[in-house]
Amino acid sequence: MTSQSASNKTRPLSPHLQVYKPQISSAMSIFHRITGVGLSLGLPVFVTWLVVLAAGPNLYIKFADLFQTAFGQILLFGWTWAFFYHFCCGIRHLLWDAGYFLDIKGMRISGWTALTVSSLLTAVIWMKTYGYIP
Amino acid sequence: MKQTKSLRSNLGRVRGLGSAGHGTEHWWLLRVTSFILIPLSLYVIGNFFVSVIGGGYSDAILWLRSPFSATLVILFLGVAFHHAANGLQVVIEDYIHCEGLKLITLVIIKFLCAALAILGTLATVKVLFGV
């Protein structure tokens, strides 16, 4: 009944990615999904931090040093941006659920606001981290 | 007088689960966990970030050892992993159409979320009560 036969897999679909120009609406939506999955991959890292804290200072130093490497810093930066982006877009979703910004103009305004605010927050946090702002 | 009769059975109407039989629990819980995570994730992840960018071991332990932080961390683990599992379920159901693979992937993901939440909780309790 629900088994996938060869004929099921080869049925044609109407084109979407091939024909629609990327817009603020679709782009922000897919990035909300991508950052969500990315943050889900980051949650085990948070749990590792807790485990390492419970394990003692020796193991903790090894763990913390991983984040001082270039790759570690890139990962942290990516996760920070993903966090703020998913955070701001999440609030945008909650506002939609409450009934706000549901028209086209509101969608654009809230979209660009979320993108700007999340980028600014990421930039501020990292400038503070590297000491460019006190 | 106009009389309209719904095709919905009385039991179906009372149960309120809709045509797919699931109701609105997933949707609602996703919203509730999102709302809770607004302050909670800022606090917990903020402290995590400060620690991994160069805060020392003793500072982190001092922060985690207070009942206030420990409670919030354990709450965060529960709420965040529930939110993640819910979100990942939506993604899996969107992209995996083979029923067997979908089921296995869903079970593994939900199990991992539960297991990691418990692991994190145990680590927090260990820090709170001893080490």
Side-chain angles (χ1 to χ4, degrees):
Chain A
M1 198 168 54
T2 51
S3 60
Q4 293 278 318
S5 62
S7 57
N8 276 354
K9 282 180 191 154
T10 54
R11 278 195 195 154
L13 291 173
S14 57
H16 46 94
L17 292 175
Q18 300 99 306
V19 295
Y20 280 104
K21 184 171 113 177
Q23 304 168 65
I24 189 75
S25 50
S26 54
M28 293 203 69
S29 176
I30 187 62
F31 271 104
H32 191 70
R33 177 166 279 197
I34 292 173
T35 51
V37 173
L39 287 170
S40 305
L41 295 172
L43 270 178
V45 177
F46 173 73
V47 173
T48 311
W49 176 68
L50 290 172
V51 169
V52 149
L53 274 178
N58 299 328
L59 207 55
Y60 176 83
I61 288 175
K62 287 206 189 105
F63 175 76
D65 279 346
L66 286 175
F67 283 105
Q68 300 304 321
T69 62
F71 184 62
Q73 294 273 291
I74 292 174
L75 272 184
L76 262 189
F77 183 81
W79 269 318
T80 318
W81 180 79
F83 176 79
F84 282 124
Y85 181 87
H86 196 84
F87 185 91
C88 292
C89 281
I91 293 182
R92 188 171 171 236
H93 267 100
L94 289 176
L95 287 170
W96 278 336
D97 289 333
Y100 300 107
F101 300 117
L102 283 169
D103 52 320
I104 296 285
K105 196 161 177 221
M107 181 271 291
R108 285 192 202 286
I109 292 173
S110 60
W112 284 106
T113 308
L115 193 56
T116 316
V117 168
S118 60
S119 305
L120 273 176
L121 284 171
T122 310
V124 163
I125 292 290
W126 279 92
M127 285 201 285
K128 221 168 144 56
T129 304
Y130 285 130
Y132 290 117
I133 33 177
Chain B
M1 200 160 74
K2 189 175 166 197
Q3 272 196 313
T4 47
K5 230 178 159 186
S6 167
L7 289 173
R8 205 173 181 187
S9 69
N10 285 333
L11 182 59
R13 215 180 65 241
V14 160
R15 277 189 180 147
L17 292 175
S19 57
H22 304 316
T24 54
E25 186 159 7
H26 277 191
W27 184 89
W28 178 243
L29 277 176
L30 196 59
R31 269 64 186 174
V32 170
T33 53
S34 306
F35 195 70
I36 295 174
L37 279 172
I38 292 175
L40 191 57
S41 67
L42 279 178
Y43 179 71
V44 172
I45 295 296
N47 276 287
F48 165 62
F49 183 74
V50 163
S51 169
V52 284
I53 56 165
Y57 175 77
S58 33
D59 283 339
I61 285 284
L62 210 64
W63 172 76
L64 190 55
R65 204 167 253 165
S66 85
F68 178 74
S69 310
T71 307
L72 287 181
V73 165
I74 294 176
L75 270 175
F76 173 79
L77 287 167
V79 174
F81 273 113
H82 189 281
H83 183 90
N86 200 334
L88 287 172
Q89 176 177 356
V90 175
V91 175
I92 288 166
E93 286 177 348
D94 270 357
Y95 297 133
I96 301 180
H97 296 120
C98 167
E99 286 299 320
L101 185 60
K102 178 171 30 175
L103 179 65
I104 290 173
T105 314
L106 271 175
V107 168
I108 290 177
I109 294 290
K110 292 199 169 192
F111 176 78
L112 282 176
C113 284
L116 285 170
I118 291 175
L119 180 61
T121 305
L122 288 175
T124 309
V125 168
K126 183 174 187 233
V127 169
L128 187 63
F129 289 130
V131 177

